[in-house]
């Protein structure tokens, strides 16, 4: 994939995040977004991106530096505690499970790979929201390596097997889209890939939580069937459904941010799926121009795209 296309995917995800921030956790039907706005759910101006993008920037920079897991946790700490990697030097909207993992590392000096909460009630979307760039890193790696990497980067903050499987499914969908398949074909391929997991492992058992994605007619679900909580399964389902039912990149992003619920993260997760499904379309210029702190975004996104692009 060309570097310009990778950059478009990264920018689209950041724009999706900022589009959704003003409506985060608002009830479905209580609002209707058609453009980049500000304030609303958070006292932040238009173009403000949240933890989704901030933690993704940490990941991108750590990959560029060939940093360790502990280095990445240090970056998360600087984001959460000091406002680094943010639009205006102000941290807001940090998820509970991510915050717990960062404190484990920063305060209790727990090794990075042991920081993620492994409790079943800790299966939020805080790993899923930042992990998409790994698809470009792993594009030529075998499936075992792709799974191991998904696991390693997820468990930094989310230690339960369900979150690991969610990250793996998402990255595998992106992997299939990068190979030129559409999302329906990608879902069929990932369904087959999941059967290759060790049947006695906790990961194989957790694939059941995601089975609705692989029924073959998931795209025919009605809006009322789509849940939009911060639960990792709900977020992945919503992002996939938006992509399956969208007719173009712009309308898909708007559909995502108007679902109600955790829409900034749902839109962030949907954005790479949409951008790869419509590779000839770019993030709307009028939305990108509103984004705050573009120099920071470009300082990290541009060299990453150049490193992994053709």
């Amino acid at each position: 994939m060309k570097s310009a296309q990778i950059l478009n995917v990264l920018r689209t995800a950041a724009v999706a995040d900022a589009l959704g921030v003003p409506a985060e956790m608002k009830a479905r039907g209580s609002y209707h977004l058609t453009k980049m706005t500000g304030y609303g759910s958070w006292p932040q101006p238009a173009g403000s991106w949240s933890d989704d993008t901030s933690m993704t920037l940490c990941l991108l920079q750590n990959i560029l530096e060939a940093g360790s897991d502990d280095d990445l946790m240090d970056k998360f700490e600087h984001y959460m505690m000091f406002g680094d990697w943010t639009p205006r030097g102000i941290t807001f909207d940090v998820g509970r499970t991510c915050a717990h993992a960062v404190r484990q590392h920063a305060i209790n000096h727990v090794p990075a790979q042991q920081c993620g909460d492994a409790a079943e009630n800790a299966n939020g979307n805080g790993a899923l929201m930042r992990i998409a760039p790994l698809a470009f890193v792993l594009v030529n790696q075998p499936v075992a390596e792709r799974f191991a990497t998904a696991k390693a980067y997820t468990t930094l903050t989310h230690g339960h097997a369900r979150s690991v499987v969610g990250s793996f499914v998402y990255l595998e969908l992106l992997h299939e889209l990068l190979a030129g398949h559409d999302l329906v074909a990608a879902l069929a391929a990932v369904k087959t890939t999941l059967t290759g997991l060790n049947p006695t492992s906790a990961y194989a058992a957790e694939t059941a939580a995601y089975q609705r994605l692989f029924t073959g007619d998931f795209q025919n679900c009605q809006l009322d069937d789509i849940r939009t909580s911060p639960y990792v399964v709900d977020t992945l389902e919503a992002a996939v459904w938006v992509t399956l039912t969208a007719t173009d990149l712009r309308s898909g992003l708007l559909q995502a941010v108007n679902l109600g619920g955790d829409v900034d993260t749902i839109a962030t997760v949907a954005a790479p799926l949409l951008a790869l499904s419509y590779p000839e379309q770019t993030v709307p210029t009028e939305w990108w121009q509103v984004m705050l702190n573009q120099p920071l975004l470009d300082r990290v996104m541009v060299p990453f795209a150049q490193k992994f692009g053709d």
Side-chain angles (χ1 to χ4, degrees):
M1 172 168 276
K2 295 185 181 301
S3 60
Q5 294 173 299
I6 296 176
L7 182 60
N8 183 59
V9 173
L10 300 175
R11 285 180 170 178
T12 300
V15 165
D17 180 14
L19 279 170
V21 162
E24 184 182 10
M25 302 316 296
K26 287 188 176 182
R28 182 179 297 169
S30 68
Y31 67 95
H32 183 67
L33 295 176
T34 59
K35 60 182 181 180
M36 193 77 77
T37 61
Y39 301 97
S41 299
W42 297 95
Q44 303 295 324
S48 299
W49 25 277
S50 75
D51 57 337
D52 303 55
T53 302
S54 292
M55 296 184 80
T56 301
L57 290 174
C58 293
L59 173 64
L60 294 172
Q61 185 63 38
N62 207 61
I63 291 170
L64 288 170
E65 296 173 356
S68 67
D69 292 339
D70 287 301
D71 292 332
L72 180 53
M73 292 301 290
D74 288 342
K75 291 178 175 64
F76 290 162
E77 176 191 352
H78 278 259
Y79 153 65
M80 190 177 92
M81 297 184 177
F82 306 114
D84 291 359
W85 313 99
T86 64
R88 300 188 299 140
I90 299 170
T91 301
F92 69 98
D93 191 23
V94 182
R96 174 182 58 84
T97 305
C98 287
H100 170 77
V102 171
R103 287 192 293 267
Q104 284 283 79
H105 188 262
I107 298 171
N108 298 327
H109 306 294
V110 175
Q113 280 295 327
Q114 299 175 30
C115 288
D117 192 338
E120 186 173 8
N121 66 358
N123 278 304
N125 53 25
L128 193 70
M129 71 187 189
R130 67 174 188 264
I131 211 162
L134 291 177
F136 301 113
V137 179
L138 297 171
V139 67
N140 294 317
Q141 298 301 314
V143 65
E145 178 68 18
R146 300 198 300 268
F147 179 83
T149 302
K151 176 184 174 183
Y153 278 89
T154 299
T155 53
L156 296 175
T157 56
H158 292 68
H160 194 275
R162 192 172 308 156
S163 288
V164 172
V165 172
S167 292
F168 180 60
V169 168
Y170 180 44
L171 288 171
E172 286 298 289
L173 291 174
L174 295 174
H175 182 79
E176 293 295 324
L177 292 174
L178 284 168
H181 304 135
D182 64 26
L183 188 52
V184 172
L187 285 164
V190 175
K191 180 180 181 180
T192 299
T193 298
L194 291 177
T195 64
L197 294 176
N198 182 344
T200 63
S201 72
Y203 305 107
E206 289 296 342
T207 62
Y210 297 92
Q211 284 309 303
R212 193 163 75 135
L213 288 171
F214 306 111
T215 58
D217 63 349
F218 179 66
Q219 67 267 32
N220 296 323
C221 288
Q222 299 301 303
L223 177 60
D224 288 345
D225 297 324
I226 302 303
R227 300 178 292 267
T228 56
S229 79
Y231 176 43
V232 62
V233 178
D234 290 350
T235 295
L236 185 55
E237 285 189 346
V240 170
W241 181 81
V242 161
T243 307
L244 288 169
T245 56
T247 55
D248 57 70
L249 178 61
R250 177 192 289 266
S251 65
L253 293 174
L254 288 175
Q255 183 179 24
V257 298
N258 283 302
L259 283 176
D262 198 12
V263 292
D264 60 326
T265 301
I266 290 169
T268 300
V269 174
L273 297 171
L274 286 161
L276 292 176
S277 294
Y278 297 96
E280 73 285 357
Q281 299 178 17
T282 58
V283 63
T285 302
E286 68 270 25
W287 293 349
W288 173 251
Q289 289 176 340
V290 180
M291 293 291 284
L292 298 182
N293 207 346
Q294 289 183 29
L296 172 58
L297 295 171
D298 281 346
R299 191 186 83 210
V300 181
M301 291 180 176
V302 170
F304 179 89
Q306 291 172 338
K307 179 177 177 64
F308 292 99
D310 295 336

